[in-house]
Amino acid sequence: MKIMSLLSCFGRKSTNHQYEEYIDFIDMNNTDLVDVPLHIFLYERTLEKLLLSSNHIKDLPSPLFHCCQLKVLHISDNRLEHLPKAIGSLVNLVELDVSRNYLSTIDENIKNCKKLSILNLSANPISIFPIPLTQVLSLEELCLNDTQLEFIPANIGRLINLRVLELRDNKITQIPKAVSRLMQLYRLDIGQNDFIDFPTAISDLYGLHELWIDSNDIVDIPSEVSNLHELWYFDASYNRISKIDQDIQYCSKLKDLHLSFNNLKSLPNSMKHLHDLVTLKVDHNCLKQMNGIFEGLQCLEELDASYNCLETLSPTVGLMRRLITLRLDANRLTSLPTEICSCRSLRELSLRSNNLSSLPDGIGSLQNLVVLMLTQNKITNLPLSVLKLKNLNALWLSENQSKPLTPLQNDFEDETGKHILTCYLLPQREESYMEIKDRSHKPLKTNTRIRFTEDSGLEEPGNLMRVPTPHPKKMRAFAKMLLERKKKNNELSNEFDRQLSTEIDNCTIIDQEAEKMEQLYQMKNCVIEPEKIYEPKVNTQRVPPPYHIAAAYSKQVSFFNNENLS
């Protein structure tokens, strides 16, 4: 039975001979291995793919490097602390994944892997860019995410075949100009680093298709971005961007543009020339208007402008006939343009937390609408055309609504002379809590408290506040600081214990000597009369010691006053 279960991890490949088979693929991921099973090397001449990820392996045995036909080796999420020098003997290796281990260096013999195309070293404490990698000219994908890197060497420009370069979640502040030599680069990820300015070396990567610069401290998108004519995915969210240059229009193939969580107060009008744009996310900014850009975004399918300061919505929104998702939550909208009813492909319309008092009468023409979010507004009633929304699965009118759909009743409004729809949730009332629209997400202090009857006699607790979860990068830095502080405290504590032990030993010796001297003094000065030898002993007051004994004690006064310990 054990043999059969083991063979289930092996891939078989038949040859031209009728009864002859050999194994070229072994999958032993997540099998609680402590060492690489030696029976694997029975197939060292045929093995091409070996998967050993998510185990507890600490060392790689030498027979592994005799598998001369090995092309794919995955050992991620283990406990490796180094790669043996014999790694260079795997001359046919194409893909190597050693991410999520404890590697601090990469052996220089890796340069002998002349066919190595994909290398993943992410989540290792490398801290310094491995120079031997710059000699592996066959590399096409290099992943060094979360490796504590601070510097990228200039000779990275030697990797002219590189198509994917991932440097996310490090401490990099700049990219060398030599990166511009990577003309084959297809995807570049430098998110979650310490960039302040947009790296100008990127502007020479004319073939770049995907670019991530999110979670940095970049303040603007310069005109150099216009050189990226092939760019179709651009993520610049979670920065401090307050300005985007008009030349972004020359990124004409852009399909996904993410600008969330920035300081944008306006968008350049030239964005209307991004005719191929499919997804636009500008939520959590300071936008007051978005006029003039909708008319050219005829291919747009998703628009998220939530958590801004929009007071009006341009009527040109109706030109986006392919729009499927529109989110305008937490703005200052008081009305919607009638032209929004022309977005016939709309499936999700979210208008939560605005100042809307009504909906356009033609809302019923949105036949594909599935979700309509209207909570935290000032809506008094709904237009009768809402009944035409046959595909509507959720109509949210209140945060406390128990079901996605609530029965609506037909009513007549005397003021307008129109038939309307109403329900027990209308007109909307102000919620008992306040919506946090501030982009910093700082919790509001309120007087709301939760109490229990049996705790009525206890002292009232302070305000409960929700604190946002810190970024993993900040958590690691905080953990490192705590470890250093703990180490320092341990050193101080050990030094303190040594001093205390020394002082105590000295005091013990002095006390013993003083006690002996006192006994000698009592023996010399004590005269015992013969008639009193057999008298019962009476406790008498202790005679003070002479000056030289008292002086021995006085020298340790500073110890008992803790002066030396401070």
Side-chain angles (χ1 to χ4, degrees), residues 319-384:
L319 299 176
M320 299 187 292
R321 303 298 174 85
R322 298 184 184 181
L323 195 62
I324 297 176
T325 302
L326 177 59
R327 300 188 185 97
L328 299 169
D329 301 331
N331 280 285
R332 302 173 183 175
L333 299 174
T334 57
S335 62
L336 293 178
T338 307
E339 289 78 4
I340 197 173
C341 302
S342 300
C343 302
R344 303 296 176 86
S345 301
L346 205 59
R347 293 175 57 84
E348 178 186 347
L349 177 58
S350 186
L351 301 164
R352 178 174 175 265
S353 188
N354 278 280
N355 296 320
L356 297 175
S357 58
S358 62
L359 296 180
D361 292 335
I363 194 73
S365 60
L366 303 178
Q367 294 293 315
N368 294 310
L369 197 62
V370 177
V371 177
L372 179 57
M373 172 70 77
L374 299 172
T375 60
Q376 296 187 43
N377 279 283
K378 300 178 181 179
I379 295 176
T380 56
N381 55 66
L382 299 175
L384 191 63

Side-chain angles (χ1 to χ4, degrees), residues 106-328:
I106 304 299
D107 193 87
E108 62 178 0
N109 286 341
I110 198 172
K111 64 185 179 182
N112 296 327
C113 301
K114 302 296 184 181
K115 296 183 180 180
L116 189 60
S117 173
I118 301 173
L119 177 58
N120 191 348
L121 296 170
S122 300
N124 280 287
I126 296 175
S127 70
I128 299 177
F129 190 95
I131 299 300
L133 298 184
T134 61
Q135 302 181 44
V136 188
L137 304 183
S138 58
L139 274 179
E140 295 183 6
E141 287 190 25
L142 178 57
C143 300
L144 288 164
N145 303 318
D146 189 16
T147 51
Q148 304 175 16
L149 294 180
E150 297 182 2
F151 176 75
I152 304 298
N155 51 2
I156 194 175
R158 299 181 60 187
L159 305 177
I160 57 176
N161 294 313
L162 208 59
R163 291 181 55 80
V164 175
L165 178 58
E166 295 185 2
L167 302 170
R168 170 173 291 271
D169 196 5
N170 284 291
K171 303 175 183 179
I172 305 171
T173 57
Q174 58 183 356
I175 287 182
K177 294 181 179 179
V179 170
S180 59
R181 301 177 190 170
L182 309 178
M183 301 305 296
Q184 302 295 325
L185 205 59
Y186 181 91
R187 179 168 77 240
L188 176 61
D189 187 353
I190 55 173
Q192 296 183 22
N193 277 282
D194 297 330
F195 289 95
I196 298 177
D197 299 318
F198 184 88
T200 55
I202 297 177
S203 60
D204 295 329
L205 301 174
Y206 303 116
L208 198 63
H209 284 65
E210 303 175 18
L211 176 59
W212 277 266
I213 61 170
D214 58 289
S215 303
N216 282 283
D217 294 320
I218 298 174
V219 295
D220 67 337
I221 304 297
S223 59
E224 286 80 2
V225 74
S226 62
N227 295 333
L228 307 178
H229 301 299
E230 300 296 325
L231 193 65
W232 67 268
Y233 186 96
F234 185 25
D235 189 348
S237 55
Y238 292 93
N239 278 282
R240 299 180 181 180
I241 299 173
S242 59
K243 180 183 178 182
I244 300 176
D245 195 271
Q246 295 280 350
D247 289 343
I248 196 173
Q249 62 177 317
Y250 297 112
C251 301
S252 55
K253 295 185 179 180
L254 205 57
K255 292 185 177 181
D256 286 76
L257 180 57
H258 298 253
L259 299 168
S260 306
F261 290 91
N262 278 289
N263 298 328
L264 291 171
K265 295 183 179 180
S266 63
L267 297 176
N269 293 331
S270 61
M271 285 182 60
K272 65 184 179 183
H273 298 296
L274 301 177
H275 301 302
D276 294 337
L277 200 61
V278 175
T279 301
L280 176 59
K281 294 187 177 182
V282 290
D283 55 289
H284 294 86
N285 279 281
C286 306
L287 298 175
K288 294 184 178 180
Q289 54 87 19
M290 296 181 65
N291 300 330
I293 67 169
F294 294 148
E295 57 190 32
L297 307 181
Q298 299 178 1
C299 294
L300 198 66
E301 296 181 2
E302 180 181 358
L303 173 61
D304 190 350
S306 302
Y307 292 89
N308 279 283
C309 304
L310 298 176
E311 297 180 354
T312 60
L313 189 63
S314 174
T316 55
V317 68
L319 299 176
M320 299 187 292
R321 303 298 174 85
R322 298 184 184 181
L323 195 62
I324 297 176
T325 302
L326 177 59
R327 300 188 185 97
L328 299 169

